[in-house]
């Protein structure tokens, strides 16, 4: 059974709130949002657009491809790492479930010097198997292990569902 937990307006409100929370923390500092493809990248782009309309310093959004079924083979190119070196970096994904995907996404960024490293998610399911904490959370929702969260980004018709 598919139950809507966030509608388009609620998602927009959460994205706006998280952009302003980031502004409070990173005001006048270089910021790079790294969106985990595909939905984390969409979310990162949207937050970056809002952030850039209200901030004096501009944030940059870049994408990160990771095989969520086999994250061990993550290869980060040097060009991406050079873009984030000595900057504030926020890893962005749509849902934080066990923490596995984000844990492996964080790994390459721990090998270079950063000013700050954080995590942003639209929905945090509270089922952590890895020690991953999201600094910026749109919605925290306790679910059963059998339930699943699905986020759909369709311009003007965004939604999040509990399956």
């Amino acid at each position: 059974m598919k139950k809507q937990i966030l509608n388009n307006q609620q998602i927009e409100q959460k994205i706006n709130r998280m952009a302003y929370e980031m502004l409070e923390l990173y005001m006048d500092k270089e910021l790079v949002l790294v969106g985990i493809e595909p939905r984390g990248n969409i979310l990162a782009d949207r937050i970056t657009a809002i952030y850039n309309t209200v901030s004096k310093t501009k944030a940059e959004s870049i994408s990160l491809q990771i095989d969520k079924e086999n994250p061990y083979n993550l290869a980060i190119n040097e060009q991406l790492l050079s873009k984030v070196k000595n900057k504030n970096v926020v890893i962005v994904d749509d849902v934080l479930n066990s923490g596995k995907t984000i844990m492996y996404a964080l790994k390459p960024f721990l090998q270079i010097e950063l000013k700050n490293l954080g995590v942003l998610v639209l929905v945090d399911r509270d089922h952590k198997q890895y020690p991953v904490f999201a600094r910026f959370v749109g919605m925290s929702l306790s679910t059963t292990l059998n339930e699943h969260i699905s986020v759909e980004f369709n311009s003007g018709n965004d939604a999040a569902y509990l399956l």
Side-chain angles (χ1 to χ4, degrees):
M1 183 173 170
K2 187 175 178 179
K3 178 182 177 186
Q4 188 176 53
I5 57 171
L6 292 172
N7 63 31
N8 188 71
Q9 180 183 4
Q10 292 167 321
I11 289 175
E12 285 183 18
Q13 289 171 338
K14 291 182 184 317
I15 289 173
N16 276 311
R17 178 180 47 80
M18 290 187 291
Y20 278 91
E21 286 176 5
M22 291 175 61
L23 180 63
E24 289 176 7
L25 186 63
Y26 300 115
M27 186 178 294
D28 300 328
K29 298 175 184 169
E30 291 183 286
L31 176 63
V32 179
L33 283 82
V34 179
I36 299 174
E37 298 243 357
R39 290 172 299 280
N41 190 49
I42 295 168
L43 184 58
D45 287 346
R46 289 187 182 181
I47 290 172
T48 300
I50 294 166
Y51 185 93
N52 286 342
T53 61
V54 296
S55 175
K56 293 177 188 173
T57 57
K58 299 302 178 197
E60 182 179 359
S61 176
I62 56 179
S63 66
L64 175 65
Q65 284 190 319
I66 184 169
D67 180 355
K68 293 185 180 193
E69 300 301 317
N70 187 16
Y72 317 104
N73 295 329
L74 180 62
I76 303 289
N77 67 39
E78 292 301 317
Q79 184 180 9
L80 182 133
L81 292 178
S82 67
K83 281 186 174 184
V84 300
K85 189 171 184 177
N86 294 316
K87 295 183 181 174
N88 297 288
V89 175
V90 177
I91 307 296
V92 180
D93 206 3
D94 59 339
V95 178
L96 175 54
N97 185 16
S98 69
K100 180 179 179 181
T101 300
I102 292 179
M103 181 72 131
Y104 285 99
L106 289 169
K107 184 180 176 203
F109 299 100
L110 298 174
Q111 299 171 15
I112 62 170
E113 188 173 339
L114 300 174
K115 290 185 179 175
N116 193 302
L117 180 60
V119 173
L120 179 147
V121 294
L122 182 61
V123 181
D124 184 349
R125 284 192 56 206
D126 298 327
H127 285 296
K128 312 237 182 3
Q129 296 171 342
Y130 293 82
V132 174
F133 170 78
R135 176 177 284 168
F136 306 100
V137 178
M139 174 186 204
S140 192
L141 180 67
S142 294
T143 61
T144 68
L145 291 173
N146 295 332
E147 292 174 315
H148 179 74
I149 302 287
S150 173
V151 176
E152 297 175 5
F153 289 115
N154 301 313
S155 187
N157 196 22
D158 300 339
Y161 299 97
L162 177 64
L163 307 171

